[in-house]
Amino acid sequence: MGLNLEEQKAVDRFRKDVVEPSMHALVILDFWAEWCGPCKALTPLLEKVAADYADKGVILAKVNVDEEQFIAAQFQVRSIPTVYAMFQGQPVADLTNARSESQLKATLDQLLAQLPINSGEPQQDIEPLLAMGEAALAEGDGPRAASIFSQIAEIAPESGAALGGQVRALVLSGDLDTAEQVLAALPEALRGDSDVTRALAALELARNRPEDNELAALKAAADAAPADMAAQLAFAEAAFAAGDRDAAATRLLAAIEADREWSDGAAKAKLLKMFEAVGLEDPWVAAMRRRLSLILFG
């Protein structure tokens, strides 16, 4: 429609941050600026109400009018704060004058009673995307998997499967710093999520990735002293971090068979942690678990 590059980028950002979420949720759209005192006073109220109504399908989106002048112009924003309610890409109410919590909630209650809000829809839609990300991981394509999971996390920021997959993909790509940043920014509610725990295990093991000469030295030490359990575990951990999970599992299984009680079962604990990092549903894990069962119970 005759837009220049910067205007098109602004439209794309607005579509991703506001229009797409509004297809399934009621979006509180807040136009603000850093220099606006009333905006800063209003922000805590908007954030609180959005959090209180999150389970009803309400989310908050903010547009900085200094950074997004083109979008502000499309909405004919002449003063700030200006606040709209958006649904399915269209403004459905002007919330600017609702400056108290009770006023804002009363207006939202009226809108929610009239609109077909379905807050559960996005979670249903991400399942095929999650499968795509896991397939990319299984193929060893870390960058592609990271890109897929990153997009899912934008759609469903509350999804432990998406965020955990993103971390595992970053670990596979060797980008441990970014993986740590993603984990550090996780919502508190996801800290105990099984997918996040799995990703954390993968990151902790990858942190120990050795240089090639160090890995060769650890292997030589383990080969030279097969009864030295500490040497076997050190090489196994380094081999797994370097991507050779078969060598790691073989060493640990041999250590468990030789002395399963050594150091309070350290070899078994290390192997189980590797299973967790790879994923209990992975075919490789299933095969290794069968070998472990034969040693323990066969």
Side-chain angles (χ1 to χ4, degrees):
M1 300 295 291
L3 302 181
N4 62 38
L5 180 59
E6 290 305 315
E7 290 171 345
Q8 186 59 58
K9 288 182 178 178
V11 170
D12 290 341
R13 286 192 296 270
F14 186 77
R15 181 182 296 113
K16 183 187 74 171
D17 296 339
V18 179
V19 176
E20 291 178 3
S22 78
M23 292 298 108
H24 62 82
L26 183 64
V27 177
I28 300 174
L29 177 60
D30 176 28
F31 289 93
W32 70 290
E34 289 286 354
W35 46 264
C36 172
C39 298
K40 294 180 180 179
L42 183 61
T43 292
L45 169 63
L46 296 178
E47 291 177 343
K48 180 181 186 303
V49 172
D52 290 346
Y53 277 63
D55 59 349
K56 298 179 181 180
V58 175
I59 60 178
L60 174 64
K62 301 177 69 65
V63 173
N64 186 319
V65 297
D66 290 333
E67 297 174 355
E68 302 289 358
Q69 295 181 19
F70 179 72
I71 297 300
Q74 303 313 300
F75 279 81
Q76 299 182 353
V77 174
R78 293 182 171 83
S79 64
I80 53 174
T82 292
V83 185
Y84 291 112
M86 300 281 294
F87 183 64
Q88 295 186 345
Q90 299 295 325
V92 293
D94 187 342
L95 306 178
T96 304
N97 293 324
R99 296 299 179 88
S100 72
E101 182 175 344
S102 60
Q103 289 175 333
L104 185 56
K105 286 186 173 181
T107 303
L108 291 177
D109 287 339
Q110 292 176 2
L111 292 171
L112 291 170
Q114 300 168 9
L115 299 173
I117 303 296
N118 181 4
S119 59
E121 182 179 336
Q123 190 64 34
Q124 298 169 4
D125 290 344
I126 68 172
E127 294 304 325
L129 297 175
L130 289 172
M132 287 174 56
E134 291 295 340
L137 278 175
E139 294 167 4
D141 192 343
R144 184 164 70 91
S147 176
I148 293 170
F149 282 118
S150 176
Q151 293 177 50
I152 302 170
E154 290 181 1
I155 297 170
E158 76 290 347
S159 170
L163 292 166
Q166 184 182 6
V167 170
R168 287 187 290 118
L170 290 166
V171 168
L172 180 61
S173 303
D175 191 354
L176 304 189
D177 290 342
T178 303
E180 289 178 350
Q181 292 170 10
V182 173
L183 282 172
L186 282 177
E188 191 64 34
L190 290 179
R191 297 289 174 179
D193 184 273
S194 59
D195 290 294
V196 172
T197 302
R198 173 184 174 187
L200 180 59
L203 178 59
E204 288 177 349
L205 289 168
R207 282 194 188 109
N208 298 317
R209 184 182 181 91
E211 299 293 335
D212 290 343
N213 59 348
E214 182 184 355
L215 180 63
L218 289 170
K219 182 178 186 303
D223 289 344
D228 185 342
M229 293 297 173
Q232 305 307 309
L233 261 68
F235 170 65
E237 186 172 49
F240 186 86
D244 192 350
R245 59 188 187 184
D246 286 334
T250 297
R251 292 283 176 161
L252 291 174
L253 288 166
I256 294 168
E257 188 169 22
D259 186 359
R260 69 183 65 175
E261 300 301 328
W262 179 80
S263 189
D264 295 325
K268 179 184 175 184
K270 182 67 66 178
L271 184 60
L272 293 179
K273 189 170 186 178
M274 291 177 183
F275 290 169
E276 183 180 32
V278 174
L280 299 182
E281 73 286 353
D282 190 277
W284 178 84
V285 172
M288 293 302 118
R289 285 171 68 93
R290 286 193 293 271
R291 290 178 59 182
L292 177 61
S293 295
L294 286 174
I295 292 171
L296 296 178
F297 309 112

